[in-house]
Amino acid sequence: MSSNGAPDLLRLKDIDTYYGEIHILENLNLNVREGELVSLLGGNASGKSTTLKTILGLVQPRKGLVEFRGENVTGRNTSYRIRQGMAIVPENRRLFGPMTVLENLEMGAYLIRDTKGRKEDFERVYTLFPLLHERRSQLAGTLSGGEQQMVAMGRALMARPKLLMLDEPSLGLAPILVETIFNIVREINSQGTTVLLVEQNAHKALEVAHRAYVLETGVVVQEGSGQELLASEEVQKAYLGM
C-alpha cells in the first residue's frame, strides 16, 4: 500500500536487466499506484524501452521482482501479463496497415469475452477520438501519423487495461497534435485508467504526471511529483533547455 492510500498496481523491485553482458537496468525500483499517471523520462539509451520490455516480460531480468496487481509475474510470459490487464501503445504505433480503423480497434478487444460491453468500449474510444468514428472504414496505413497514434491508443483501450503503457506517443507529431495527445492521455487517466508514460518531451510529460522518474544509463537518478521535477534545476538543464 502506498503512502497516499492507493495500492501499488505495478512494482519493480531491485531489477537488473542485461542484453548479453551489457548491464542495461541497474537496481531499478519503480512503482505505479492505482489511478496514477506516472512519467518515465530519459534520453536515448537511458533504459526506458528496456524498462517497458521488462514490465511486459519481453526480456527477463537477471535479478529482481516484477509485481502486477499484487502478483509476482517475474517468470510469467507476455501473453499472461496482457491477460492480467497490461496494454501498451508501442513506439511507431505498429498498426495493421492493410486493415481498416474499425478492424484495428476490434483487434484490441480480442481477449475480451464480455461482448455485451463492446458497444460501450467503442463509444468510449469514439468519444475520446471523434475522428476515428469518421475514419472507421479507412485503411489504417493511409492515415497521418497523428491519426495513427489515435488508432493505436484506441486499440489499447479496447482491451480495457488496468495499466496502459505509452511508449513515446508524441514522437514525430506536429506541436498541435502533441498538445491533443497529451490532453487525451490526461483524460484517459481521469476516467480511471492507470497510465505509465514513457516520453522524451519532458515538459509535457511532467505537466500531466502525478509522479515521475528520471533514468540515466539504467539508473533512476531522480524521482518526485511532476511539479517537483519541473522545478528541478537538474531536470531543467538536462531536458527542458533552461
Side-chain angles (χ1 to χ4, degrees):
M1 191 74 72
S2 69
S3 58
N4 71 354
D8 288 338
L9 182 67
L10 172 74
R11 187 166 74 108
L12 305 185
K13 187 179 181 200
D14 303 331
I15 291 289
D16 279 0
T17 299
Y18 289 74
Y19 290 149
E21 293 307 308
I22 303 172
H23 201 170
I24 305 297
L25 302 178
E26 187 173 346
N27 199 40
L28 181 71
N29 288 277
L30 176 152
N31 71 301
V32 181
R33 301 164 190 152
E34 286 188 8
E36 275 194 313
L37 198 168
V38 174
S39 291
L40 181 60
L41 307 179
N44 291 327
S46 61
K48 301 190 306 297
S49 292
T50 303
T51 300
L52 288 183
K53 289 175 181 176
T54 302
I55 293 168
L56 281 163
L58 295 169
V59 296
Q60 288 293 331
R62 287 195 192 174
K63 181 175 79 69
L65 185 74
V66 180
E67 282 187 359
F68 184 60
R69 302 176 69 187
E71 178 187 357
N72 179 1
V73 297
T74 314
R76 295 287 196 170
N77 62 24
T78 301
S79 61
Y80 177 86
R81 300 183 197 203
I82 289 171
R83 287 196 302 273
Q84 297 310 301
M86 293 185 184
I88 187 165
V89 179
E91 188 179 347
N92 299 322
R93 278 78 77 175
R94 297 183 191 170
L95 299 179
F96 299 100
M99 295 168 63
T100 66
V101 168
L102 177 61
E103 289 167 336
N104 271 272
L105 294 177
E106 288 174 336
M107 289 297 291
Y110 77 100
L111 284 176
I112 302 297
R113 297 288 175 258
D114 165 31
T115 54
K116 289 182 180 177
R118 188 75 59 86
K119 183 181 177 185
E120 287 79 8
D121 294 336
F122 274 111
E123 286 176 355
R124 180 192 184 195
V125 169
Y126 289 147
T127 300
L128 286 165
F129 308 101
L131 188 71
L132 299 190
H133 187 261
E134 296 173 26
R135 303 290 178 87
R136 61 191 182 280
S137 299
Q138 187 170 336
L139 297 182
T142 66
L143 299 173
S144 70
E147 291 164 348
Q148 289 189 9
Q149 185 64 49
M150 293 177 190
V151 177
M153 292 170 70
R155 180 180 63 184
L157 288 173
M158 289 296 294
R160 303 179 194 169
K162 303 294 184 190
L163 174 67
L164 177 65
M165 292 176 278
L166 297 137
D167 191 1
E168 305 284 5
S170 74
L171 192 67
L173 301 187
I176 191 167
L177 280 173
V178 171
E179 191 73 28
T180 299
I181 291 297
F182 277 101
N183 285 338
I184 293 169
V185 169
R186 185 188 270 127
E187 177 62 23
I188 289 168
N189 177 247
S190 74
Q191 292 178 359
T193 302
T194 305
V195 175
L196 177 59
L197 172 65
V198 169
E199 180 58 59
Q200 284 196 356
N201 186 330
H203 194 273
K204 300 304 298 181
L206 292 174
E207 275 188 345
V208 301
H210 297 118
R211 293 187 304 114
Y213 294 85
V214 179
L215 268 183
E216 286 182 12
T217 58
V219 177
V220 172
V221 293
Q222 275 191 280
E223 61 180 283
S225 72
Q227 292 305 308
E228 285 170 346
L229 292 189
L230 267 175
S232 159
E233 199 171 310
E234 291 88 349
V235 171
Q236 288 178 359
K237 286 179 180 176
Y239 300 102
L240 304 179
M242 299 168 72

